[in-house]
């Protein structure tokens, strides 16, 4: 199973290589991208099935986001795992923002990463239905939650949001609680980061 690692840290690369090896993906099937151009070329042929990207490797340009977004659309059968890097907050969880896109961080537990990789490998090889302990459904926010989240991310407080949306303070708090459960974090900075990264690399978190 062809895999690409876009990660500049040698120690993190070694950790990812170990997780891939545990899931039967050897060094001959793994290539390394050192730039966005490398990543694009590596995705041409053969088509990679797993692409591991450290956010810090992406140039701070709108073009880099567009390139990744296009790759995600062009390779719907490939699993993209994006590691948040510009946050010092501890986040051991993972969030599916698309069927083939996971946002997580370097703090993810090795066992959890191995479960995610194993699930994808088994599905690809048609050797099983994957790990039913994993929540692989993309996050979906209600329209009300999405509207409230935009205001929350812009810096507005609970009372301001309540007044502008003409809803009870208790309802705003309920929406916040629901979003925290769905994104698997009580930390608003992590939530903001996941949402911004999702907006940048996809068309944003699904809204029903």
């Amino acid at each position: 199973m062809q895999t690409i690692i876009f990660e500049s840290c040698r120690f993190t690369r070694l950790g990812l290589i170990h997780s891939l090896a545990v899931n039967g993906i050897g060094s001959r099937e793994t290539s390394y991208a050192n730039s966005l151009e490398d990543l694009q070329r590596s995705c041409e042929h053969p088509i990679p099935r797993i692409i591991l990207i450290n956010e810090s490797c992406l140039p701070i340009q709108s073009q880099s986001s567009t390139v990744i977004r296009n790759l995600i659309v062009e390779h719907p059968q490939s699993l993209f795992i994006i590691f948040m890097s510009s946050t010092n907050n501890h986040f051991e969880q993972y969030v599916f923002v698309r069927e083939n896109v996971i946002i997580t961080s370097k703090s993810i537990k090795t066992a959890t990463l191995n479960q995610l990789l194993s699930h994808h490998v088994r599905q690809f090889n048609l050797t099983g239905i994957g790990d039913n302990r994993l929540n692989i459904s993309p996050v979906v926010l209600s329209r009300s939650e999405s509207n409230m989240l935009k205001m929350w991310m812009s810096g507005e407080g609970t009372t301001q949001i309540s007044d502008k949306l003409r809803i009870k303070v208790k309802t705003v708090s309920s929406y916040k609680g629901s979003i925290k459960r769905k994104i698997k974090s009580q930390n608003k900075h992590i939530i903001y980061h996941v949402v911004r990264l999702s907006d940048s690399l996809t068309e944003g978190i699904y809204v029903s």
Side-chain angles (χ1 to χ4, degrees):
M1 178 179 287
Q2 293 299 318
T3 301
I4 301 173
I5 297 177
F6 190 14
E7 166 62 68
S8 58
C9 175
R10 176 173 170 271
F11 295 106
T12 303
R13 276 192 182 188
L14 290 174
L16 294 175
I17 289 168
H18 175 73
S19 289
L20 293 170
V22 166
N23 287 284
I25 302 171
S27 58
R28 292 186 179 182
E29 299 172 284
T30 305
S31 59
Y32 308 94
N34 295 308
S35 67
L36 201 57
E37 292 72 22
D38 277 352
L39 181 62
Q40 286 179 284
R41 284 192 294 269
S42 298
C43 287
E44 291 174 359
H45 185 76
I47 295 174
R49 295 305 176 186
I50 298 175
I51 302 170
L52 305 162
I53 300 174
N54 183 341
E55 181 193 1
S56 68
C57 292
L58 301 176
I60 306 176
Q61 304 166 352
S62 58
Q63 179 189 4
S64 65
S65 298
T66 302
V67 169
I68 301 300
R69 182 183 290 211
N70 289 341
L71 289 175
I72 289 170
V73 172
E74 291 166 5
H75 302 293
Q77 301 305 315
S78 301
L79 177 65
F80 290 78
I81 302 181
I82 315 294
F83 296 91
M84 295 187 293
S85 61
S86 58
T87 177
N88 294 320
N89 298 300
H90 198 68
F91 184 57
E92 295 182 347
Q93 295 292 337
Y94 61 90
V95 180
F96 273 85
V97 294
R98 287 294 181 274
E99 288 79 359
N100 67 326
V101 182
I102 298 171
I103 294 177
T104 183
S105 81
K106 288 186 178 183
S107 299
I108 188 172
K109 293 180 179 178
T110 301
T112 304
L113 179 59
N114 287 343
Q115 280 183 301
L116 292 167
L117 293 172
S118 174
H119 177 86
H120 185 69
V121 169
R122 277 191 266 173
Q123 284 199 318
F124 176 76
N125 292 332
L126 302 178
T127 57
I129 59 173
D131 192 333
N132 57 16
R133 292 172 297 175
L134 293 173
N135 178 8
I136 61 171
S137 300
V139 173
V140 180
L141 300 180
S142 70
R143 180 68 59 186
S144 297
E145 289 169 345
S146 177
N147 291 338
M148 191 284 300
L149 179 59
K150 290 174 184 175
M151 297 175 71
W152 188 22
M153 289 182 64
S154 70
E156 298 194 43
T158 300
T159 303
Q160 290 174 297
I161 295 171
S162 170
D163 291 341
K164 288 188 177 180
L165 294 181
R166 297 182 180 179
I167 57 178
K168 295 180 180 178
V169 167
K170 186 176 180 180
T171 303
V172 176
S173 297
S174 176
Y175 288 158
K176 286 184 179 181
S178 177
I179 291 167
K180 289 174 181 178
R181 286 192 299 274
K182 290 178 180 180
I183 298 184
K184 305 176 186 176
S185 178
Q186 296 295 311
N187 188 313
K188 70 177 182 180
H189 298 295
I190 290 175
I191 293 171
Y192 292 179
H193 199 127
V194 169
V195 172
R196 289 193 181 105
L197 199 50
S198 178
D199 288 343
S200 174
L201 302 181
T202 70
E203 293 182 353
I205 289 176
Y206 286 132
V207 177
S208 63

